[in-house]
Amino acid sequence: MDRRLFVALTLVACAHRAPQPADPLIAFTEAAARDIAAAWCLCLYASMFKAGLFGLTLLALLCACQKNEYQLRKEWQEQQAERLKPVELDTGGEKTWRRFQVQRVRVYADAAFVKRVGDLRRYFSEQLDRANEVLNSAMQLRLELEEARELPAKIDGTDLDAMLKAVREADPGKDVDFVVALTGVKPILTMSFHQLGRAEELGKHIVMRSMDDAAELRELDKGLDKIDAADRAQLYASRKRHKECAVFLHELAHTLGAIHTVAPEDLMHPAYSSDMVAFASPNVDLMRYVLDERTTDEEKRDTEALIKRLDVYLSSS
């Protein structure tokens, strides 16, 4: 092969093997610059031929193979979509036979929430199944749905603290272990657990908002417009499922004595993150202490002793 042709083809290969920047517009601009440089090399060599056809043919092939702006944007958006996928919650890997402590749950939902999910009993059963994947592994705890009811119309879900108090007064939960109330009123865009759900610490009552986030869905549609609509919908659904499960586990853990932590991947961090994966070991120990006390026969329970035990554990942690 002629030395000049070898040099020209080497320049073309190096230009097209350069790494692509994250920003699609920068990538497109740099790709165009590489094309111009490659075309100059090829044309220079082609001019040395009598007809110049060889160089022009290679130039045409090069231009045909160059990625256009749409392709670059699509690839960049696919990378972003991959980064936006939530992590899988820690379910303990391989399943083994264990004896679980079973706790019964009654769930309420207002009309606005039921309108969003349809069949409340089916919806919340699926929620408990996902939560149980984590609880089975961490604490040998299994939650079972006792019944699903409509939330009394007089209970307003706008203020979660007021809602928690009203639910506790309407249903003390004497015949179940946990009472959960769900509201579809005023879903908000926030990462704060405090605004997404509330729980009675060392109690049995939990209230939560709907996790439907129209603003997030609009941003996904706008920012990932080159990706198939079905793939965007699947991404949104996976993020919503992770958020619903994380918020429920966070609030449930408060009823079992867990406290906030500083690690963003910990389910007890004060702010929700799609990187949340599990409970930290100290909180698991705290919850086991409380759960053991709750599952003890009522006449044998010693609340004061439990509080002292928790205090000693926290002081030594």
Side-chain angles (χ1 to χ4, degrees):
M1 180 184 291
D2 188 282
R3 183 181 302 172
R4 287 167 297 183
L5 177 59
F6 177 78
V7 171
L9 293 177
T10 301
L11 288 172
V12 171
C14 291
H16 283 268
R17 290 180 65 185
Q20 297 282 355
D23 190 310
L25 291 177
I26 296 176
F28 182 69
T29 303
E30 291 187 359
R34 289 197 300 270
D35 270 352
I36 293 171
W40 182 85
C41 293
L42 289 173
C43 287
L44 179 64
Y45 186 78
S47 67
M48 299 176 185
F49 281 82
K50 291 180 180 179
L53 295 178
F54 181 73
L56 292 175
T57 301
L58 284 178
L59 176 59
L61 289 172
L62 174 65
C63 293
C65 294
Q66 173 60 50
K67 294 178 181 178
N68 58 35
E69 182 180 3
Y70 175 85
Q71 291 172 318
L72 289 168
R73 283 187 179 276
K74 187 173 187 295
E75 288 185 3
W76 181 78
Q77 289 185 10
E78 287 172 347
Q79 294 171 6
Q80 295 301 107
E82 193 64 29
R83 294 189 186 101
L84 287 171
K85 288 182 179 178
V87 300
E88 294 291 332
L89 292 171
D90 185 5
T91 59
E94 185 178 353
K95 300 294 183 295
T96 57
W97 184 91
R98 294 173 181 168
R99 183 176 181 179
F100 298 118
Q101 293 177 305
V102 177
Q103 299 278 278
R104 298 162 301 152
V105 183
R106 179 182 295 125
V107 64
Y108 291 87
D110 60 19
F113 193 95
V114 173
K115 185 177 180 180
R116 293 173 184 273
V117 303
D119 186 337
L120 175 61
R121 187 174 189 89
R122 178 185 59 79
Y123 164 83
F124 199 69
S125 293
E126 292 174 356
Q127 290 295 103
L128 290 185
D129 287 342
R130 284 191 284 271
N132 281 331
E133 289 287 311
V134 177
L135 297 171
N136 292 173
S137 171
M139 301 170 53
Q140 292 75 57
L141 170 62
R142 179 170 183 80
L143 303 178
E144 292 185 355
L145 181 58
E146 186 75 11
E147 64 178 319
R149 295 180 181 179
E150 183 179 348
L151 190 68
K154 64 180 181 180
I155 298 180
D156 182 19
T158 305
D159 184 323
L160 291 183
D161 286 317
M163 181 183 177
L164 180 62
K165 180 180 178 181
V167 170
R168 187 169 58 242
E169 292 173 352
D171 183 357
K174 294 181 179 180
D175 57 335
V176 292
D177 300 294
F178 295 100
V179 177
V180 180
L182 309 170
T183 179
V185 175
K186 196 181 178 182
I188 57 177
L189 176 58
T190 179
M191 296 295 107
S192 169
F193 277 115
H194 186 79
Q195 297 178 29
L196 293 169
R198 299 292 286 154
E200 180 185 22
E201 294 186 1
L202 294 177
K204 60 172 59 179
H205 292 80
I206 299 169
V207 297
M208 290 172 50
R209 295 189 189 279
S210 167
M211 300 300 144
D212 282 331
D213 194 338
E216 179 178 356
L217 184 57
R218 284 195 302 270
E219 288 302 313
L220 289 177
D221 287 339
K222 180 181 177 181
L224 303 178
D225 59 313
K226 301 298 185 291
I227 296 177
D228 290 342
D231 292 336
R232 292 199 302 270
Q234 185 176 5
L235 173 62
Y236 173 74
S238 67
R239 288 174 62 84
K240 179 184 173 184
R241 282 194 301 271
H242 184 277
K243 191 174 185 179
E244 287 173 330
C245 193
V247 172
F248 176 69
L249 288 170
H250 181 99
E251 300 305 336
L252 178 76
H254 275 313
T255 69
L256 294 174
I259 58 177
H260 286 160
T261 57
V262 297
E265 69 276 7
D266 190 336
L267 284 164
M268 291 313 297
H269 190 274
Y272 168 75
S273 165
S274 58
D275 291 330
M276 286 181 160
V277 65
F279 291 113
S281 297
N283 268 325
V284 171
D285 292 338
L286 285 173
M287 291 188 284
R288 282 176 174 165
Y289 290 153
V290 176
L291 188 61
D292 287 344
E293 176 70 12
R294 284 191 177 185
T295 53
T296 302
D297 292 338
E298 190 168 353
E299 61 274 10
K300 296 180 181 179
R301 294 178 187 173
D302 189 341
T303 305
E304 290 186 4
L306 172 63
I307 293 174
K308 289 180 180 178
R309 186 181 183 187
L310 294 176
D311 185 55
V312 169
Y313 179 81
L314 289 172
S315 299
S316 61
S317 298

